[in-house]
Amino acid sequence: MRIQEIQKQVDDWIGQWKDGYWSPLSNLARLTEEVGELARAINHLHGDKIKKDGELQGNIAEEIGDIMFVLVAIANSMDIDLEESFQNTLEKYNVRDAKRFEPIIDVEK
Amino acid sequence: MRIQEIQKQVDDWIGQWKDGYWSPLSNLARLTEEVGELARAINHLHGDKIKKDGELQGNIAEEIGDIMFVLVAIANSMDIDLEESFQNTLEKYNVRDAKRFEPIIDVEK
Amino acid sequence: MRIQEIQKQVDDWIGQWKDGYWSPLSNLARLTEEVGELARAINHLHGDKIKKDGELQGNIAEEIGDIMFVLVAIANSMDIDLEESFQNTLEKYNVRDAKRFEPIIDVEK
Amino acid sequence: MRIQEIQKQVDDWIGQWKDGYWSPLSNLARLTEEVGELARAINHLHGDKIKKDGELQGNIAEEIGDIMFVLVAIANSMDIDLEESFQNTLEKYNVRDAKRFEPIIDVEK
């Protein structure tokens, strides 16, 4: 599935409802909420948090899907091309961090 | 109640448990989770999020208490004096933002 | 670009470095940081926050790309198929929220 | 310093400005931003994130003070008594988690 299709699917889903996209600040609050749920799931599996009895195991894959959905909704509501944004980030990292970490192979001269 | 007492109460509470304070990253994940719950509660009352049937009304005051608790735990685990931190922030704002907003009273000459 | 390619590109990028993927809690902290930067950018454009002099306008598209990158890194580090996660979220919303909002078209009897 | 005084100091500070308290969603975005800055600082000191050259060491104590300020602002703007909220959280933990962790002292029979 292409990124554009994902943006289209979210747009179709939201397009069903009368009110359309939420305001930017409301969508951001939703993103904060979903990241919080991922935090709980990751803390249960990889952190020091002891799971409460009866609490379902946080499903990390599910929380990541939920975050993806909100992120796409935010992008859509502001006419942002997610693929382009991602490419720009990748390019930025390639330039900025080119010498930041130690490479796996130290090429000999 | 003084800030120091709050730090002491959290320390006493955590001191009951064998494992003591969580690691900084695990505490941070907990803070992220609690902020996410506040985000949900605020979005329900002040945002565009429609409350699901059967979902209890987010209790904003409760979420704020939970965030306070984790924030104090993080401060304690790193020997940070919360009162001092707060005072430094207030001082920073007084210097940095002294002319940033429009004052209520425009004093005439 | 397909989701799989995005996951591959992030994997290639991280694969260059000796240390590979960060720990789940460290990646989560990075996600929290990037969401915080998006929050600042959105607050500048759509909220009550007054921009400080000399502060560059938050670039929302850039922050969304950065969040996407970390989200993919988290998915990759846990062998999660992002497309599948997204599809599951969409399906969940279609079932759960089918009658949650008021549809655009009120079908006449 | 008492919690009430902290709430008063934030109120005095905000009371200087014509616009007063921000909207709940805008304050929440600010909280998200400040938590993101704490995440960066903690990741630098305790996580896998490599600090960029020239980047100042994140000051965790400072970020905690900044979070405290926004949290108090949110509480104030909604007439929430922070001390009471904190006490309720402490009480909840004492009841809910009374048997959750292994106590330090295993009382002999």
Side-chain angles (χ1 to χ4, degrees):
Chain A
M1 181 181 289
R2 297 180 181 285
I3 305 291
Q4 282 89 343
E5 292 172 68
I6 280 192
Q7 294 201 257
K8 175 79 167 53
Q9 286 195 328
V10 171
D11 195 60
D12 287 347
W13 191 84
I14 290 173
Q16 299 174 78
W17 317 114
K18 214 173 186 174
D19 295 332
Y21 286 96
W22 292 352
S23 71
L25 284 172
S26 203
N27 262 328
L28 178 70
R30 178 65 176 272
L31 179 63
T32 304
E33 177 189 345
E34 298 293 358
V35 169
E37 293 183 4
L38 178 65
R40 183 178 57 183
I42 287 183
N43 224 3
H44 281 166
L45 285 173
H46 303 280
D48 302 337
K49 178 166 187 177
I50 294 175
K51 279 179 57 45
K52 282 173 284 181
D53 282 347
E55 194 177 25
L56 294 169
Q57 162 134 344
N59 189 325
I60 292 176
E62 183 184 335
E63 303 302 347
I64 286 177
D66 290 355
I67 292 173
M68 182 73 183
F69 190 94
V70 191
L71 194 65
V72 171
I74 294 175
N76 281 355
S77 74
M78 299 179 181
D79 288 319
I80 288 168
D81 182 316
L82 190 53
E83 182 174 325
E84 194 185 319
S85 288
F86 171 77
Q87 289 296 357
N88 287 340
T89 293
L90 196 63
E91 204 167 297
K92 177 179 69 178
Y93 283 4
N94 277 323
V95 173
R96 192 184 68 184
D97 297 337
K99 289 163 189 161
R100 190 167 155 194
F101 300 98
E102 193 178 353
I104 288 177
I105 302 160
D106 291 312
V107 183
E108 292 183 50
K109 284 163 200 157
Chain B
M1 183 181 289
R2 297 181 181 283
I3 305 290
Q4 281 91 339
E5 291 172 69
I6 280 192
Q7 294 202 258
K8 176 77 168 52
Q9 287 195 326
V10 170
D11 195 59
D12 287 346
W13 191 84
I14 290 172
Q16 299 175 78
W17 317 115
K18 216 175 186 172
D19 295 332
Y21 286 96
W22 291 352
S23 71
L25 284 172
S26 203
N27 261 329
L28 178 69
R30 178 65 177 272
L31 178 63
T32 304
E33 178 188 344
E34 298 294 358
V35 170
E37 292 182 4
L38 177 65
R40 184 177 57 182
I42 287 183
N43 225 3
H44 281 166
L45 284 173
H46 302 281
D48 302 337
K49 180 167 189 178
I50 295 175
K51 281 180 55 46
K52 282 176 284 183
D53 282 347
E55 195 177 25
L56 293 170
Q57 162 135 342
N59 189 327
I60 293 177
E62 183 184 335
E63 303 304 346
I64 286 177
D66 290 355
I67 293 174
M68 184 72 184
F69 190 95
V70 191
L71 194 66
V72 171
I74 294 175
N76 281 356
S77 74
M78 300 179 179
D79 287 320
I80 289 168
D81 182 317
L82 191 53
E83 181 174 326
E84 193 185 320
S85 288
F86 171 77
Q87 289 296 357
N88 287 340
T89 294
L90 196 63
E91 205 168 296
K92 176 178 69 177
Y93 284 3
N94 276 324
V95 172
R96 192 184 69 184
D97 297 337
K99 289 161 190 163
R100 189 166 155 197
F101 302 97
E102 193 178 352
I104 288 178
I105 302 160
D106 292 310
V107 183
E108 292 182 50
K109 283 162 200 160
Chain C
M1 182 181 288
R2 297 181 181 284
I3 305 290
Q4 281 89 342
E5 292 172 68
I6 281 192
Q7 294 202 258
K8 176 77 167 53
Q9 287 196 328
V10 170
D11 195 60
D12 287 347
W13 191 83
I14 290 172
Q16 299 173 77
W17 318 114
K18 215 174 187 171
D19 295 333
Y21 286 96
W22 291 352
S23 71
L25 284 172
S26 204
N27 261 329
L28 178 70
R30 178 65 177 272
L31 179 63
T32 304
E33 178 189 344
E34 298 293 357
V35 170
E37 292 183 4
L38 178 64
R40 184 179 55 183
I42 287 183
N43 225 2
H44 281 166
L45 283 173
H46 303 281
D48 302 338
K49 180 167 187 177
I50 294 175
K51 280 178 58 45
K52 282 175 283 182
D53 282 346
E55 195 175 25
L56 293 170
Q57 161 134 345
N59 189 325
I60 293 177
E62 184 183 334
E63 302 303 348
I64 285 177
D66 290 355
I67 293 173
M68 183 73 183
F69 191 94
V70 191
L71 193 66
V72 171
I74 293 174
N76 281 356
S77 74
M78 299 179 179
D79 288 320
I80 289 168
D81 182 317
L82 189 53
E83 183 175 324
E84 194 185 319
S85 288
F86 171 76
Q87 288 297 357
N88 287 340
T89 293
L90 196 63
E91 205 168 296
K92 176 179 69 178
Y93 283 3
N94 276 324
V95 172
R96 191 185 69 184
D97 297 337
K99 288 162 189 162
R100 189 165 156 199
F101 300 97
E102 193 178 352
I104 287 177
I105 302 161
D106 292 312
V107 182
E108 293 183 49
K109 288 161 200 160
Chain D
M1 183 182 288
R2 298 181 180 284
I3 304 290
Q4 281 90 341
E5 292 171 68
I6 281 193
Q7 294 202 257
K8 176 77 167 53
Q9 286 195 328
V10 171
D11 195 60
D12 287 346
W13 191 84
I14 289 173
Q16 299 174 79
W17 317 115
K18 213 173 187 174
D19 295 333
Y21 286 96
W22 292 352
S23 71
L25 285 172
S26 203
N27 261 329
L28 178 69
R30 178 64 176 273
L31 179 63
T32 304
E33 178 189 344
E34 298 293 358
V35 170
E37 292 182 5
L38 177 66
R40 184 177 59 182
I42 287 182
N43 224 3
H44 281 165
L45 284 173
H46 303 281
D48 302 338
K49 178 165 188 179
I50 296 175
K51 279 180 55 47
K52 282 174 283 182
D53 282 346
E55 196 176 23
L56 293 170
Q57 162 135 343
N59 189 326
I60 292 177
E62 183 184 333
E63 302 303 347
I64 286 177
D66 290 355
I67 293 173
M68 183 72 184
F69 190 95
V70 191
L71 194 65
V72 171
I74 293 175
N76 282 355
S77 74
M78 299 178 179
D79 288 319
I80 289 169
D81 182 316
L82 190 52
E83 182 174 324
E84 192 185 320
S85 288
F86 171 77
Q87 289 296 357
N88 287 340
T89 293
L90 196 63
E91 205 168 298
K92 176 178 67 176
Y93 284 3
N94 276 325
V95 173
R96 191 185 71 183
D97 296 337
K99 288 162 190 163
R100 188 167 157 196
F101 302 97
E102 193 179 354
I104 287 178
I105 301 159
D106 291 312
V107 183
E108 295 182 49
K109 287 160 200 159

